[in-house]
């Protein structure tokens, strides 16, 4: 596992319960490079570890992947509760993730109390049983070391962790677990009170139930409801019915039962918690969502995989209708959404008003902090804005007045706002309204640096239409991509050219970083296709040459450059990283040279940079061909890493590059890397290659022809692969010849500009832009 940025206070973890959640938690602990013991019950006396081993086997095949690397999977050791429970004494944290039955948890805790080391943290992953009930009957020491750590599924990808401490919980121990979860597991820790459902599930379950109820009551179709509740509200684009299909319709009755078992009698959720006959019949018939035969939506295979939707009134499936066309204003203005005429506007308000009121009513009973509730919903349910941020978009005064006009109660925290927003920016600081009626700075965890905060108090040093340069403190500048999907174009290259002399004069080094969903989706294909359609070949050649020049400027700058990706770094985005002195990647970085998928080859120096990495890799045999073959395989198949750890295995990152588990800590870690490299920094020496020439190209061509004969490669794949092979093998170069970096770049330009003129490549680019999927021509 690459070096990670996390606390060393927890060196081994035990997870008890190898179900979906327990196994997933164990995998994420292993992803952090920490050994983990996974225990479950004995079902088969002949194979006493079969339950935990079966879970580990399923994890290895899970999609999306639970493990970030094969190395991480080896850190999980399986066992069983009967034989191996005393081994919890080896562990610094024990996570209980067994079934939600209090009697079984009590029996387990009684055994744990006799074998664990005092001071070892013990936590439950429960989201339904109060902490007070969990520790009933246990000793003072156990209660002191106990807390709730509620993970969200899947544990690798969901960033939220709700932490609940009891009155007797040791504050230092809770802080140690929280710090480890933050730095090592990559979680945003939200402190919740010991109330039913805590924060995210308490609000999220209400929202889902209310959205379904209102759709049925107002006579909306599932397509109409999802069009309103999806993108316009900034909740998952699936909408509510699509979301329930994704997580499982059969989960709804369980959530209802668990919440109603513990909620106060006067809680508003009880009034809306309805077991709709339609939904209960769907579950009974196996229509539980995507994991079943379908759900509110399904693919009718007998009708040629026709997408169908259920009629909420009749329960019959019909062809899915096109979602209603909504005015553009509703995607920018929440007031416009609830103001839509007819049933769509009525539905928007019927979902938002009760949900936002319910969330607001949980202050202070479930949380004293409105920020915690907003963060919980954004990270736990993928809302773009939390409930209080949504109220701000409607206006606190407008929201309160409409509730009053309809005879509905106004939550106390909304009354306290008295028309003021819940959030404001004051003196370059984001502030939130507190229970004392005053505004307080929104605090970040210690060591967290975010560009969004810097932007509140500063202006960019440089700016173009697609990029900006910022002073992020400590003598470090940050280059940010700002276009759609952070795509790269001439405006990005222009800013790189402007930034190099400025950073050289005034800063110690440069971080390439942004806080978009993805680092960069690569070159702007839309602009490229436009240039092709008007035969502006000179402009395309200028873009390729300009990109190569910009990448070389980064590589040979007189200061260290650190790439800090998160999410996708594809094509040109990957090439930017390949030209950096070092990479500090978020663990969830998906890096690859994907140009062959759109009928092109990497054109900004990516071939040579990847080749240089592999020829210095001690795992490969010596000689010019092994590295060429490896790069050819990786690039021709448009391979993308499924994690930062795998990016190291694929050569997109060096073994010396580092990984940050928590997305919010990425900029701070990248800055630290720049400063560490700045002392005595010297730019790298240009590489010189010995390539296999015509013989090597013939070998690669034969391999592609074999794939073509087996139907794996298409006719145009053969054309594109031939161009890639000419670059990587040096074309007509002989084994005794040397090939310089500039000669390799010239070969890239020739092959790229030739492929751009090919109609089959143009068809691939157009298809990708229209559908988001590769064309196999």
């Amino acid at each position: 596992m690459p070096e990670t940025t996390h606390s060393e206070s927890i060196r081994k973890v035990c997870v008890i319960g190898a179900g979906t959640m327990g196994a997933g938690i164990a995998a994420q602990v292993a992803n952090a490079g920490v050994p983990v013991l996974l225990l479950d019950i004995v079902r088969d006396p002949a194979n006493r570890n079969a339950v935990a081993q079966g879970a580990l086997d399923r994890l290895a095949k899970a999609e999306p992947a639970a493990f970030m690397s094969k190395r991480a999977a080896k850190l999980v050791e399986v066992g069983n509760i009967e034989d191996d429970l005393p081994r919890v004494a080896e562990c610094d944290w024990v996570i209980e993730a067994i079934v939600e039955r209090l009697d079984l948890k009590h029996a387990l805790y009684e055994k744990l109390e006799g074998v664990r080391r005092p001071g070892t943290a013990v936590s439950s992953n429960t989201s339904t049983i109060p902490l007070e009930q969990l520790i009933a009957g246990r000793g003072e020491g156990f209660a002191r070391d106990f807390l709730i750590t509620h993970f969200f599924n899947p544990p690798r990808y969901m960033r939220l962790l709700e932490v609940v401490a009891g009155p007797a919980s040791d504050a230092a121990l809770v802080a140690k677990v929280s710090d480890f979860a933050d730095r090592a597991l990559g979680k945003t820790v939200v402190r919740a009170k010991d109330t039913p459902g805590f924060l995210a599930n308490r609000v999220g379950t209400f929202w889902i139930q209310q959205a379904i109820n209102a759709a049925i009551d107002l006579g909306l179709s599932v397509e109409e409801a999802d069009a309103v509740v999806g993108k316009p509200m900034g909740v998952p684009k699936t909408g509510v019915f699509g979301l329930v299909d994704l997580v499982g319709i059969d989960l709804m009755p369980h959530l209802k039962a668990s919440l109603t078992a513990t909620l106060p009698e006067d809680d508003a959720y009880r009034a809306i918690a309805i077991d709709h006959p339609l939904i209960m019949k769907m579950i009974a018939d196996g229509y539980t969502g995507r994991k079943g035969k379908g759900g509110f939506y399904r693919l009718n295979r007998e009708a040629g995989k026709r997408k169908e939707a259920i009629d909420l009134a009749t329960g019959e499936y019909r062809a899915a209708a096109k979602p209603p066309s909504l005015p553009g204003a509703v995607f920018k203005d929440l007031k416009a959404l609830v103001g839509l005429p007819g049933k769509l506007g009525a539905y928007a308000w019927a979902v938002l008003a009760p949900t936002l009121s319910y969330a607001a009513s949980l202050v202070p009973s479930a949380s004293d902090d409105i920020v915690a509730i907003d963060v919980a919903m954004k990270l736990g349910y993928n809302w773009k804005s939390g409930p209080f941020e949504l109220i701000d978009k409607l206006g606190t005064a407008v929201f309160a007045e409409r509730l009053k006009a309809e005879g509905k109660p106004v939550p106390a925290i909304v009354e306290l706002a008295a028309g003021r927003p819940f959030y404001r920016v004051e003196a370059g600081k984001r502030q939130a309204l507190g229970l004392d009626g005053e505004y307080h700075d929104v605090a970040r965890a210690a060591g967290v640096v975010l560009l969004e905060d810097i932007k509140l108090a500063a202006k960019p040093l440089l700016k173009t239409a697609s990029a900006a340069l910022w002073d992020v403190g400590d003598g470090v500048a940050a280059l940010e991509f700002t276009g759609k999907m952070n795509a790269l174009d001439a405006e990005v290259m222009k800013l790189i050219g402007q930034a190099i002399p400025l950073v050289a004069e005034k800063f110690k080094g440069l971080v390439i970083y942004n806080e978009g969903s993805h680092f960069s989706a690569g070159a702007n294909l839309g602009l490229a296709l436009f240039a092709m359609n008007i035969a502006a070949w000179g402009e395309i050649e200028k873009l390729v040459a300009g990109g190569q020049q910009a990448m070389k400027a980064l590589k040979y700058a007189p200061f260290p450059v650190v790439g800090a990706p998160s999410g996708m770094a594809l094509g040109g985005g990957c090439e930017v990283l390949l030209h950096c002195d070092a990479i500090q990647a978020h663990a969830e970085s998906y890096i690859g040279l994907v140009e062959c998928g759109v009928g092109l080859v990497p054109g900004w120096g990516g071939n040579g940079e990847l080749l240089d990495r592999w020829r210095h890799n001690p795992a490969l045999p010596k000689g010019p061909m092994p590295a060429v073959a490896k790069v050819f395989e990786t690039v021709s198949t448009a391979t993308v890493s499924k994690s930062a750890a795998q990016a190291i295995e694929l050569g997109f990152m060096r073994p010396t590059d580092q990984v940050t588990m928590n997305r919010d800590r990425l900029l701070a870690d990248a800055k630290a890397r720049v400063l560490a490299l700045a002392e005595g920094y010297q730019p790298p020496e240009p590489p010189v290659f010995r390539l296999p020439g015509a013989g090597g190209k013939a070998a690669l061509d034969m391999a592609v022809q074999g794939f073509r004969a087996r139907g794996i490669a298409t006719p145009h794949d053969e054309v594109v692969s031939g161009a890639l092979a000419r670059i990587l093998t040096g074309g007509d170069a002989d084994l005794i010849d040397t090939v310089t970096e500039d000669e390799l770049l010239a070969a890239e330009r020739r092959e790229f500009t030739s492929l751009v003129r090919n109609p089959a490549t143009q068809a691939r680019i157009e298809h990708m832009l229209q559908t988001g999927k590769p064309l196999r021509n």
Side-chain angles (χ1 to χ4, degrees):
M1 186 75 188
E3 182 179 340
T4 52
T5 307
H6 64 75
S7 166
E8 299 295 336
S9 59
I10 293 178
R11 293 157 298 192
K12 188 171 184 179
V13 173
C14 177
V15 178
I16 304 176
T20 300
M21 285 303 298
I25 293 167
Q28 184 63 0
V29 173
N31 287 334
V34 176
V36 56
L37 179 63
L38 179 62
L39 306 180
D40 211 306
I41 60 173
V42 175
R43 283 208 184 116
D44 180 1
N47 184 2
R48 298 176 66 80
N49 296 340
V51 176
Q53 185 61 53
L56 186 59
D57 294 342
R58 288 189 295 276
L59 283 176
K61 302 172 185 174
E63 286 295 336
F67 289 112
M68 294 179 181
S69 67
K70 292 179 181 178
R71 188 180 302 177
K74 294 177 182 177
L75 289 172
V76 180
E77 183 182 1
V78 299
N80 68 79
I81 296 171
E82 291 181 21
D83 303 328
D84 301 304
L85 199 62
R87 292 190 60 194
V88 301
E90 306 167 8
C91 302
D92 303 301
W93 181 15
V94 180
I95 304 171
E96 171 269 302
I98 67 173
V99 295
E100 293 289 80
R101 277 182 49 185
L102 187 58
D103 59 332
L104 295 180
K105 293 181 189 290
H106 277 170
L108 174 62
Y109 297 165
E110 184 176 2
K111 294 175 183 175
L112 277 174
E113 201 164 18
V115 295
R116 75 182 185 96
R117 284 184 289 109
T120 298
V122 179
S123 71
S124 176
N125 185 55
T126 187
S127 64
T128 62
I129 303 174
L131 185 146
E132 183 182 17
Q133 294 180 21
L134 290 171
I135 60 172
R138 302 275 60 81
E140 183 180 322
F142 191 91
R144 185 175 59 246
D145 296 342
F146 189 84
L147 65 156
I148 290 173
T149 51
H150 179 223
F151 291 80
F152 283 71
N153 192 34
R156 170 179 165 182
Y157 299 95
M158 298 298 287
R159 291 173 56 193
L160 178 63
L161 179 70
E162 293 177 324
V163 170
V164 181
S169 299
D170 178 8
L173 189 70
V174 173
K176 181 172 83 167
V177 169
S178 298
D179 183 68
F180 178 82
D182 170 346
R183 297 174 187 272
L185 303 185
K187 302 302 172 189
T188 296
V189 176
V190 169
R191 293 292 294 270
K193 293 186 178 181
D194 190 18
T195 55
F198 310 133
L199 299 180
N201 281 348
R202 181 85 174 269
V203 177
T205 302
F206 185 100
W207 162 65
I208 289 172
Q209 186 73 59
Q210 180 62 25
I212 291 173
N213 292 356
I216 292 172
D217 292 345
L218 292 171
L220 270 75
S221 67
V222 293
E223 298 95 331
E224 289 173 327
D226 283 349
V228 171
V229 167
K231 287 184 179 180
M233 285 189 191
V235 301
K237 63 182 180 181
T238 56
V240 68
F241 289 102
L243 178 65
V244 174
D245 273 358
L246 181 64
V247 300
I249 297 172
D250 54 334
L251 188 62
M252 290 182 62
H254 294 294
L255 287 171
K256 176 196 166 220
S258 65
L259 274 176
T260 52
T262 51
L263 282 173
E265 289 300 320
D266 61 348
D267 191 87
Y269 175 71
R270 290 184 178 277
I272 68 166
I274 301 167
D275 286 328
H276 292 286
L278 168 64
I279 292 175
M280 302 312 291
K281 184 176 186 304
M282 289 172 70
I283 295 170
D285 292 344
Y287 286 96
T288 55
R290 295 189 190 182
K291 65 182 180 182
K293 296 189 291 186
F296 294 106
Y297 298 96
R298 74 174 185 183
L299 290 177
N300 189 332
R301 302 186 187 282
E302 295 178 3
K305 292 188 177 181
R306 180 181 73 174
K307 185 176 181 181
E308 296 182 336
I310 202 165
D311 188 303
L312 295 175
T314 67
E316 301 294 325
Y317 282 97
R318 50 165 176 75
K322 185 178 179 181
S325 179
L326 300 174
V330 305
F331 296 94
K332 300 176 182 177
D333 184 356
L334 203 60
K335 293 190 289 291
L337 180 67
V338 299
L340 282 174
K343 63 181 180 180
L344 296 184
Y347 177 66
W349 178 252
V351 174
L352 281 172
T355 301
L356 301 184
S357 292
Y358 187 70
S361 74
L362 299 181
V363 179
S365 61
S367 175
D368 293 327
D369 185 2
I370 67 169
V371 179
I373 296 176
D374 279 348
V375 170
M377 290 311 297
K378 288 191 284 188
L379 296 184
Y381 278 77
N382 203 24
W383 287 18
K384 287 188 176 178
S385 303
F388 295 95
E389 291 169 329
L390 288 172
I391 294 174
D392 274 355
K393 290 184 178 183
L394 291 170
T396 55
V398 171
F399 182 65
E401 287 163 9
R402 186 162 177 180
L403 290 176
K404 288 177 184 175
E406 295 175 358
K408 296 170 182 172
V410 178
I413 190 74
V414 178
E415 293 275 24
L416 181 66
R420 295 174 295 164
F422 284 112
Y423 294 94
R424 73 177 187 183
V425 175
E426 188 74 17
K429 299 275 189 179
R430 191 174 190 232
Q431 297 182 329
L433 188 67
L435 286 172
D436 58 359
E438 301 296 327
Y439 286 97
H440 305 274
D441 291 350
V442 175
R444 303 292 186 192
V448 169
V449 179
L450 295 180
L451 191 55
E452 69 172 86
D453 292 342
I454 292 169
K455 289 179 178 180
L456 295 177
K459 293 182 179 180
L461 302 168
L462 297 170
K463 184 171 174 49
T464 67
S466 302
L469 186 73
W470 298 89
D471 181 345
V472 292
D474 302 315
V476 178
L479 172 62
E480 175 196 28
F481 307 141
T482 60
K484 184 177 181 182
M485 293 290 286
N486 289 325
L488 308 177
D489 56 20
E491 291 294 300
V492 173
M493 307 311 161
K494 175 183 173 183
L495 190 124
I496 290 173
Q498 294 172 342
I500 298 293
L502 178 60
V503 175
E505 179 186 353
K506 297 185 176 181
F507 293 88
K508 297 175 182 177
L510 177 70
V511 170
I512 303 179
Y513 165 89
N514 63 73
E515 287 166 4
S517 299
H518 300 289
F519 180 75
S520 175
N524 189 324
L525 288 178
L527 288 177
L529 184 62
F530 176 76
M532 292 176 209
N533 287 338
I534 62 172
W537 309 117
E539 291 303 310
I540 293 175
E541 290 168 8
K542 277 170 56 179
L543 181 61
V544 177
Q548 290 184 346
Q549 183 179 353
M551 299 302 150
K552 284 185 68 177
L554 288 173
K555 180 178 178 179
Y556 298 114
F559 48 80
V561 179
V562 173
S566 179
M568 294 190 299
L570 306 179
C574 176
E575 289 179 295
V576 169
L577 297 176
L578 288 171
H579 286 83
C580 292
D581 293 290
I583 297 174
Q584 183 77 42
H586 179 226
E588 299 299 345
S589 292
Y590 317 119
I591 304 173
L593 295 170
V594 297
E595 287 86 350
C596 288
V598 289
L600 295 168
V601 291
W604 287 340
N607 298 291
E609 291 302 317
L610 192 58
L611 193 57
D612 196 37
R613 280 164 170 70
W614 276 109
R615 70 180 182 144
H616 289 108
N617 190 312
L620 285 188
K622 299 299 181 183
M625 196 60 194
V628 166
K630 187 68 180 176
V631 174
F632 181 81
E633 176 191 3
T634 302
V635 178
S636 66
T637 56
T639 300
V640 177
S641 74
K642 294 183 179 179
S643 66
Q646 194 184 45
I648 293 175
E649 296 171 3
L650 292 170
F652 296 124
M653 291 172 59
R654 303 175 182 88
T656 54
D657 287 331
Q658 297 178 6
V659 176
T660 296
M661 294 295 284
N662 191 321
R663 177 67 179 81
D664 288 346
R665 296 187 177 276
L666 183 57
L667 179 55
D669 289 349
K671 279 178 58 180
R673 195 75 196 282
V674 165
L675 295 172
L677 292 171
E679 189 73 29
Y681 176 78
Q682 292 293 323
E685 291 294 323
V688 177
F689 300 91
R690 287 193 182 274
L691 301 176
K697 183 179 184 306
L700 296 179
D701 287 344
M702 284 181 62
V704 174
Q705 288 163 10
F707 287 132
R708 174 84 188 279
R710 291 162 54 193
I712 298 173
T714 68
H716 196 50
D717 286 339
E718 198 167 0
V719 173
V720 177
S721 296
L724 179 63
R726 281 190 291 275
I727 297 168
L728 295 175
T729 60
D732 296 329
D734 194 273
L735 272 171
I736 62 172
D737 295 332
T738 57
V739 178
T740 66
E741 180 179 57
D742 286 339
E743 288 171 335
L744 209 57
L745 290 172
E748 276 189 354
R749 290 197 302 273
R750 284 195 303 271
E751 299 299 341
F752 188 99
T753 52
S754 174
L755 285 169
V756 158
R757 295 169 183 259
N758 190 311
T761 287
Q762 295 169 16
R764 283 193 178 189
I765 294 173
E766 188 167 8
H767 189 268
M768 177 61 74
L769 289 170
Q770 289 177 348
T771 69
K773 298 177 181 178
L775 174 66
R776 306 294 296 140
N777 60 347

